[in-house]
């Protein structure tokens, strides 16, 4: 079973749309470079050194989030203000009246940061058919020996003319969100997926947030398993099998959270890729995630990995 949602684009297909002789009638995609590191130099340094020609760098911490990064209300990566996000997306050249203009995001990790950009674009009102994530990320682009621009050795591909500023109007609400109370209700009455590593879910370690553990009733489905060793997203059937094992099924209210609302976006995307949710009825995101929940001493924290079915 291959792709279902159409939210992925292979490197070769993107290269064909960006090349010197794209197919007649095609509009050049907007390409967003959202590479990011939890520790170390900012992703901007990677972008300057080597990037897909024509890509525009967008920073997770300051442009795909409201910042500053901290636990508490809104979490470590709160959603950006609509006006601020609109300015960022217009700078990248995204237009409101271009139904055939694709917007493609890439990172160099497991696709989670690119999924955050995908989710925000959808939340902002960009039509599902226009938003893509580069399958395999920048590593996949390089592995395919496609042109690379930048200052690094071997990154000498010419840059295209910058796209003119866009006119996108951000209309929040294109993707469902829940707050802490809504997340608790999903864990109780539906399915709430936890995208963090299993050890963090069990409460064995907590390197970032105030307390260890998970939202009571949540089900562990680490986002890292969305992709294979080569960074490409798993086939739809593989994803569906994993999510069904966690209790996801058509008609069952489903949501996702993680540490700060980034990796959970990858679960929302993977659920669409699996076919268990659809663009018309996507899973909900808890943007504040564990960084918000764990900072509130009145919110309970569950530890261990007792199978969710044992609670039913």
């Amino acid at each position: 079973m291959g792709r279902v949602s159409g939210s992925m684009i292979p490197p070769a297909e993107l290269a064909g749309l960006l090349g010197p002789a794209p197919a007649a009638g095609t509009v050049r995609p907007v390409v967003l470079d959202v590479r990011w590191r939890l520790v170390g130099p900012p992703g901007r340094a990677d972008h300057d050194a080597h990037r897909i020609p024509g890509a525009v760098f967008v920073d997770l911490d300051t442009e795909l989030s409201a910042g500053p990064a901290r636990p508490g209300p809104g979490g470590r990566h709160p959603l950006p203000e609509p006006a601020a996000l609109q300015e960022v997306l217009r700078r990248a050249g995204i237009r409101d009246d271009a139904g055939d203009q694709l917007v493609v995001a890439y990172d160099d990790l497991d696709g989670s940061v690119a999924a955050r950009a995908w989710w925000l674009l959808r939340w902002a009102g960009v039509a599902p058919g226009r938003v893509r994530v580069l399958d395999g990320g920048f590593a996949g682009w390089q592995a395919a020996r496609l042109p690379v621009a930048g200052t690094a050795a071997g990154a000498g591909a010419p840059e295209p003319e910058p796209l003119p500023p866009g006119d996108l109007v951000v209309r929040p609400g294109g993707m469902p969100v829940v707050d802490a109370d809504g997340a608790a209700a999903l864990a109780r009455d539906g399915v709430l997926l936890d995208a963090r590593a299993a050890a963090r879910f069990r409460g064995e370690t907590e390197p970032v947030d105030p307390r260890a553990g998970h939202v009571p009733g949540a089900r562990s489905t680490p986002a890292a398993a969305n992709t294979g060793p080569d960074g490409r997203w798993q086939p739809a059937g593989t994803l569906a099998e994993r999510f069904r094992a966690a209790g996801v099924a058509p008609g069952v209210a489903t949501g996702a959270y993680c540490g700060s609302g980034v990796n959970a976006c990858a679960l929302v995307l993977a659920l669409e890729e699996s076919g268990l949710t659809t663009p018309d009825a996507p899973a909900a995101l808890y943007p504040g995630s564990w960084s918000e929940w764990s900072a509130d001493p009145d919110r309970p924290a569950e530890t261990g990995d007792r199978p969710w079915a044992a609670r039913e």
Side-chain angles (χ1 to χ4, degrees):
M1 189 175 182
R3 301 298 180 206
V4 173
S5 78
S7 290
M8 299 294 162
I9 186 168
E13 183 178 342
L14 177 59
L17 296 173
L18 295 174
T26 58
V27 176
R28 193 176 111 206
V30 174
V31 181
L32 306 180
D33 181 343
V34 296
R35 284 177 286 177
W36 175 82
R37 299 186 186 96
L38 181 61
V39 294
R44 180 78 202 209
D46 290 336
H47 173 83
D48 291 342
H50 54 303
R51 60 186 174 270
I52 294 175
V56 176
F57 181 74
V58 180
D59 182 63
L60 170 65
D61 290 323
T62 62
E63 296 178 313
L64 299 181
S65 305
R70 77 281 185 262
R76 285 184 282 110
H77 284 115
L79 298 183
E81 293 297 325
L85 180 63
Q86 178 172 287
E87 182 178 347
V88 169
L89 299 181
R90 286 185 174 187
R91 172 175 59 83
I94 301 175
R95 304 205 311 269
D96 231 352
D97 60 349
D100 53 353
Q101 180 196 48
L102 293 182
V103 186
V104 181
Y106 72 90
D107 58 32
D108 59 358
L109 297 171
D110 59 4
S112 291
V113 183
R116 168 75 171 215
W118 168 90
W119 187 93
L120 279 172
L121 286 159
R122 292 270 300 272
W123 175 77
V126 180
R130 293 182 57 190
V131 188
R132 300 283 190 276
V133 166
L134 181 63
D135 196 10
F138 190 65
W141 182 272
Q142 291 180 301
R145 300 183 180 277
L146 294 167
V148 175
T151 59
E159 292 274 21
E161 287 292 321
L163 290 170
D167 62 358
L168 178 72
V169 176
V170 168
R171 301 175 179 88
M175 295 290 271
V177 298
V178 293
D179 58 12
D181 288 340
L186 276 171
R188 182 182 64 247
D189 303 324
V191 174
L192 180 65
L193 303 178
D194 187 319
R196 298 173 300 159
R200 288 183 71 189
F201 175 86
R202 293 191 297 264
E204 296 169 1
T205 182
E206 183 44 69
V208 185
D209 293 317
R211 287 185 290 157
H214 59 264
V215 175
R219 306 170 189 192
S220 179
T221 49
N226 290 334
T227 55
D230 60 356
R232 295 193 63 196
W233 287 66
Q234 300 281 12
T238 302
L239 295 170
E241 181 179 3
R242 184 164 71 103
F243 292 131
R244 285 194 191 100
V248 179
V252 176
T254 302
Y257 79 102
C258 55
S260 68
V262 175
N263 287 344
C265 295
L267 288 188
V268 176
L269 173 53
L271 283 161
E272 279 198 18
E273 283 292 295
S274 77
L276 294 177
T277 66
T278 68
D280 292 330
L285 176 73
Y286 173 26
S289 284
W290 188 246
S291 56
E292 178 182 65
W293 183 284
S294 62
D296 183 347
D298 293 330
R299 297 278 175 190
E302 190 171 58
T303 58
D305 58 358
R306 183 162 62 100
W308 62 268
R311 306 184 179 94
E312 300 296 309

